[in-house]
Amino acid sequence: MKKIAIAAIGLLAVLFTALSASAALIVDFTPADPGVTVNARAANSDTTTGDTWNFSDSIALIASGGGSNDRMYGGMVTTWSSPFTYAPALRHLGTTRVMQVQVYPSTTASYSTSAKGIFLWNKADFLNGTDLQTVVFSAGSLLSVNLTTISATTRDFRFVVKQGGTYYVSNSNKTDAIAGVFSIDPSTVSWRTVSTDGSYTVGDTASTITLNDVQAVGLYINATRAGTGNTAQTNIQFNDFQAIAIPEPATIGMLGLGGIVAVILRRYRK
């Protein structure tokens, strides 16, 4: 009978390990349905030289339009060098199912434009029950995005995580102009702090951090373009942002397994 009890405890350990190691798709971003365009909330300022959406991780930058994980948080600041008013675009394009960041003053003059910001998916919207669990990025985790359009002279794309109340951007980044899938294993790269005060300044020091309680994930964009007329337009489009993490086993699940072992042990005592 003692062997039965030991076997039951061993089974619990095996099941605990299996649950701990199971991967979960926590974000699967697909913009609104075809034909539906969803614009960002009104900009906080509109001037002749720039426009700003103040950063917020509690007020949605873009409300859900019916797609998967298409409620987005964060903020963005844009600039252009020519002195005339133009509101840049920040929206889900339903016709092509992408997220668009566009700074496009309508002039034939020579000028430059820029867009810089953070786009986030909060834990409250995580999929597969992970909104109620502790989310861990360990070996085999994934952050991935499909950059479908990159029209910029300089560009810097990084992934974002929120851990312990601090926002970090991946030290690994994409700086070339080739569109396509950009992905990392967040457990194997180093990270830098990033400010959310509107400057979106990336820290100088990269370090390894333990991502054992992830509260948000996202994408950092910093792009500029200089030229004449249409060639000065900064235009970034992306879709298929995905995050795969290792969730901590749900408490109720562990209590259920514990109950099974308790029954076996009670029978052993008899």
Side-chain angles (χ1 to χ4, degrees):
M1 297 302 290
K2 184 179 294 185
K3 291 181 179 180
I4 295 176
I6 293 173
I9 294 172
L11 176 62
L12 177 61
V14 170
L15 290 174
F16 178 85
T17 301
L19 284 172
S20 298
S22 60
L25 181 64
I26 65 173
V27 174
D28 186 18
F29 167 63
T30 303
D33 294 337
V36 178
T37 294
V38 182
N39 292 309
R41 56 177 158 81
N44 296 101
S45 64
D46 189 0
T47 71
T48 58
T49 56
D51 217 340
T52 302
W53 285 260
N54 286 344
F55 179 89
S56 177
D57 54 11
S58 59
I59 301 174
L61 183 64
I62 296 182
S64 177
S68 172
N69 277 131
D70 65 352
R71 179 164 55 193
M72 192 176 295
Y73 297 83
M76 185 179 79
V77 60
T78 62
T79 64
W80 50 90
S81 60
S82 297
F84 53 85
T85 301
Y86 179 79
L90 178 59
R91 59 198 175 191
H92 292 157
L93 288 177
T95 52
T96 52
R97 300 176 72 88
V98 297
M99 172 69 187
Q100 182 185 42
V101 176
Q102 184 184 41
V103 189
Y104 183 18
S106 53
T107 177
T108 58
S110 296
Y111 61 98
S112 61
T113 60
S114 72
K116 189 177 185 180
I118 291 174
F119 307 96
L120 290 173
W121 291 267
N122 280 347
K123 186 177 177 182
D125 297 323
F126 283 0
L127 306 175
N128 296 317
T130 54
D131 57 324
L132 302 176
Q133 301 181 27
T134 300
V135 175
V136 177
F137 282 145
S138 55
S141 298
L142 175 73
L143 290 173
S144 176
V145 65
N146 182 25
L147 296 161
T148 60
T149 299
I150 305 175
S151 296
T153 307
T154 66
R155 76 290 300 170
D156 184 0
F157 304 102
R158 302 171 189 259
F159 290 103
V160 180
V161 295
K162 181 183 181 183
Q163 162 81 20
T166 301
Y167 286 95
Y168 299 91
V169 293
S170 60
N171 193 45
S172 299
N173 62 340
K174 179 176 174 63
T175 59
D176 62 56
I178 300 173
V181 175
F182 171 43
S183 62
I184 63 170
D185 180 338
S187 70
T188 63
V189 301
S190 55
W191 297 83
R192 299 172 183 258
T193 58
V194 61
S195 67
T196 57
D197 60 2
S199 66
Y200 304 106
T201 302
V202 175
D204 294 330
T205 304
S207 60
T208 301
I209 58 176
T210 301
L211 297 171
N212 57 6
D213 189 10
V214 176
Q215 299 295 315
V217 296
L219 184 67
Y220 166 90
I221 292 177
N222 184 6
T224 67
R225 198 174 186 198
T228 302
N230 292 346
T231 64
Q233 173 190 186
T234 297
N235 183 24
I236 307 299
Q237 298 179 20
F238 65 88
N239 60 17
D240 294 338
F241 183 99
Q242 290 191 336
I244 296 176
I246 310 298
E248 185 178 80
T251 302
I252 187 170
M254 295 313 301
L255 289 176
L257 290 173
I260 293 173
V261 174
V263 169
I264 295 175
L265 291 177
R266 281 200 299 271
R267 290 181 177 177
Y268 163 69
R269 292 189 184 101
K270 291 179 180 180

